[in-house]
Amino acid sequence: MPRMTSNRDLLARSLSAVWHPCTQMKRHETLPLVPIARGEGAWLVDFDGKRYLDTVSSWWVNLFGHCNPRINAALVDQLGKLEHVMLAGFTHEPVVQLSEKLRALAPAGLGHCFYGSDGASATEIALKMSAHYWRNRGQPEKTQFISLQNSYHGETLGALSVTDVALFRDAYGALIKQNATVPSPDWRKAEAGESAKAFALRCADALEAHLQQHHTRLAAFIVEPLIQGAAGMAMYHPVYLSRARELCSKYGVHLIADEIAVGMGRSGTMFACEQAGISPDFLLISKGITGGYLPLSIVMTTADIYQAFYADETARGFLHSHSYTGNPLACRAALATLEIFEQDDVLTANRSKAAFFNRIAQPLREHTKVRNFRHTGMVWAFEVDTPHADFAQRCFSLGLRHELLLRPMGNTVYFMPPYIISEDEMQMLVAHTIAIIDDLS
Ligand SMILES: Cc1ncc(COP(=O)(O)O)c(C=O)c1O
């Protein structure tokens, strides 16, 4: 008989053998880990059958629910054909099909797909590719990058060099290249009476001032389009992106759109850049691309950039790789995900879903302790007035008791649910969140 796993047993074994990510492990002396036995649609379930609504899509990756039958079937089929082959010197059907499909879906001009694994590896690839492009074009001094204040582009050393979150960066300061930041168009920072658009334009002026002064040494400006996720779901007006595109072209600096979190329909359009009518020089995709199944990231870029590497000398090529680059199973999960978008007209369905949620969320928006209620696509966020310095932890724990997986950032609560969330589940999410806020404010 196989040994039966219990919640308690798994927790003890996990704390003894697993070093969990983004965690002060000592905290688990008082805050228990949450054991998960299985997933089903928008729900995660423990070994006693206790369930949690996955309102954060398991770190923003899950689009069509846990154990989605269509993605499962595609993976089972792929397992019987090819699990993996190296992508240097070899190719396979899923990676070719996926690259062709993404070329058709992405903003114009992004015809070349380079593959990584997690989001941070896409950031690394784009930064390296940008600087290497300028070197190949005879401008080796262009090696600096800029990002927005409070930006987040991943945790590896290159990605941290364009990430402006002190908690994640400071311990590694000596290891990280110093890059500058420019003001964030996050509309919460606008002057009283200033519109989100006017504020975005004012921030774009600050970007121009920086570009004017430093463009000769700048390789690229990297930006999270429309929503700065880790900054607490900071949202901003698309005019900032249109101006950023114009300015980067004017000053000869690449624009890297990091759509790792906001791509794949999360912002309301397939890619957030569409809402500003722009094409970046690099588009970064990860997280939702496999429906939340397997690690995969893609850097899409232009013919101009591709051609700068196309030469007789090996060293002019982009000699970057990861063992699992373009893994067939991950690509097949991505193809199944894109098929669901097509077959179910997901972007249209999400618009109705978001409208429904905005209607039923009215009591939350009007709650006396709720500030800055905001929404873009399938992301909602707000701040809570609370006396508790440890609000995030309390809210997480209380959320579990209310069958919700909530992971506030400071006093910012956000919802980024799987797209298959039902109307009943949305009603429950609003009602239980109000109960939690009443308890904690
Ligand atoms: C905008 C953005 N870029 C990059 C990353 C890093 O992705 P990963 O955690 O897969 O390395 C994240 C992760 O949250 C992100 O939100």
Side-chain angles (χ1 to χ4, degrees):
M1 275 278 286
R3 178 174 157 193
M4 293 288 285
T5 307
S6 71
N7 285 336
R8 257 183 65 185
D9 177 42
L10 193 73
L11 294 192
R13 283 166 52 209
S14 194
L15 287 177
S16 136
V18 182
W19 194 337
H20 290 266
C22 202
T23 300
Q24 170 48 266
M25 291 298 293
K26 192 165 193 295
R27 189 169 279 192
H28 285 309
E29 287 179 5
T30 49
L31 180 75
L33 282 165
V34 186
I36 297 300
R38 60 191 174 84
E40 196 178 293
W43 295 88
L44 293 163
V45 187
D46 78 6
F47 291 87
D48 293 335
K50 184 163 173 22
R51 39 185 230 151
Y52 310 100
L53 186 69
D54 188 356
T55 76
V56 298
S57 294
S58 290
W59 256 347
W60 320 346
V61 299
N62 192 291
L63 303 189
F64 300 124
H66 295 280
C67 287
N68 180 289
R70 287 189 268 179
I71 305 177
N72 285 3
L75 281 174
V76 169
D77 180 66
Q78 186 59 41
L79 272 172
K81 290 177 176 157
L82 176 68
E83 83 301 339
H84 185 64
V85 62
M86 60 196 280
L87 200 59
F90 296 83
T91 195
H92 53 83
E93 214 174 335
V95 79
V96 174
Q97 267 187 32
L98 180 59
S99 307
E100 289 171 348
K101 274 193 184 284
L102 287 174
R103 174 164 59 194
L105 282 171
L110 297 166
H112 299 272
C113 291
F114 193 97
Y115 285 79
S117 42
D118 293 281
S121 68
T123 303
E124 299 288 337
I125 289 163
L127 299 180
K128 282 176 70 179
M129 219 179 236
S130 173
H132 196 164
Y133 167 94
W134 294 115
R135 179 187 166 90
N136 282 354
R137 289 278 191 239
Q139 292 180 269
E141 67 288 353
K142 282 168 82 72
T143 55
Q144 296 291 313
F145 300 98
I146 43 175
S147 63
L148 293 180
Q149 279 163 2
N150 300 322
S151 56
Y152 182 88
H153 299 287
E155 306 279 353
T156 50
L157 291 176
L160 278 178
S161 80
V162 287
T163 287
D164 185 32
V165 182
L167 184 63
F168 299 148
R169 250 186 90 110
D170 285 0
Y172 315 103
L175 310 179
I176 297 169
K177 178 179 159 69
Q178 295 306 307
N179 287 309
T181 57
V182 291
S184 161
D186 170 2
W187 63 248
R188 290 172 301 174
K189 297 186 176 147
E191 300 280 332
E194 188 178 32
S195 71
K197 184 173 181 185
F199 181 58
L201 286 169
R202 190 152 64 84
C203 292
D205 289 345
L207 171 65
E208 171 147 39
H210 189 93
L211 288 171
Q212 212 165 31
Q213 204 182 344
H214 300 286
H215 66 96
T216 55
R217 302 190 68 83
L218 282 175
F221 172 39
I222 182 165
V223 67
E224 293 157 85
L226 299 185
I227 307 172
Q228 289 184 273
M233 300 298 158
M235 298 183 186
Y236 63 88
H237 196 282
V239 76
Y240 184 81
L241 293 175
S242 342
R243 278 297 287 148
R245 173 68 281 177
E246 285 163 18
L247 293 171
C248 285
S249 300
K250 177 173 168 188
Y251 289 99
V253 170
H254 291 141
L255 178 64
I256 303 174
D258 176 351
E259 297 224 14
I260 288 163
V262 297
M264 309 313 297
R266 195 47 87 172
S267 71
T269 43
M270 189 54 114
F271 297 106
C273 283
E274 293 168 40
Q275 295 180 45
I278 63 155
S279 287
D281 300 293
F282 298 93
L283 178 71
L284 314 188
I285 304 171
S286 188
K287 290 198 184 270
I289 181 70
T290 63
Y293 268 66
L294 286 160
L296 182 72
S297 62
I298 302 141
V299 176
M300 298 189 72
T301 192
T302 62
D304 173 46
I305 288 164
Y306 179 77
Q307 285 304 329
F309 292 80
Y310 201 83
D312 290 326
E313 308 98 279
T314 306
R316 279 180 75 95
F318 191 60
L319 307 183
H320 180 107
S321 63
H322 300 281
S323 309
Y324 285 99
T325 290
N327 171 259
L329 286 166
C331 290
R332 190 65 193 276
L335 285 167
T337 300
L338 290 178
E339 212 169 276
I340 296 175
F341 269 100
E342 257 172 53
Q343 289 175 351
D344 297 2
D345 195 3
V346 168
L347 295 177
T348 308
N350 280 359
R351 274 195 285 280
S352 320
K353 235 166 226 199
F356 174 82
F357 192 80
N358 283 334
R359 274 198 305 281
I360 62 160
Q362 205 56 22
L364 192 51
R365 181 191 290 269
E366 288 164 3
H367 193 287
T368 52
K369 300 295 177 186
V370 166
R371 303 272 172 268
N372 303 324
F373 188 95
R374 54 197 180 275
H375 155 244
T376 299
M378 289 295 280
V379 184
W380 290 263
F382 53 90
E383 278 72 52
V384 177
D385 274 349
T386 171
H388 302 295
D390 59 348
F391 171 82
Q393 196 172 317
R394 284 173 186 254
C395 183
F396 173 76
S397 300
L398 200 51
L400 296 179
R401 278 191 257 148
H402 283 270
E403 295 194 320
L404 295 182
L405 195 179
L406 293 171
R407 261 183 78 97
M409 295 183 261
N411 69 334
T412 303
V413 176
Y414 72 91
F415 308 136
M416 211 159 160
Y419 302 162
I420 44 91
I421 188 169
S422 69
E423 292 192 351
D424 283 351
E425 288 161 347
M426 288 191 259
Q427 302 266 20
M428 174 253 179
L429 173 55
V430 171
H432 289 204
T433 303
I434 289 174
I436 292 165
I437 294 171
D438 285 340
D439 210 319
L440 292 181
S441 57

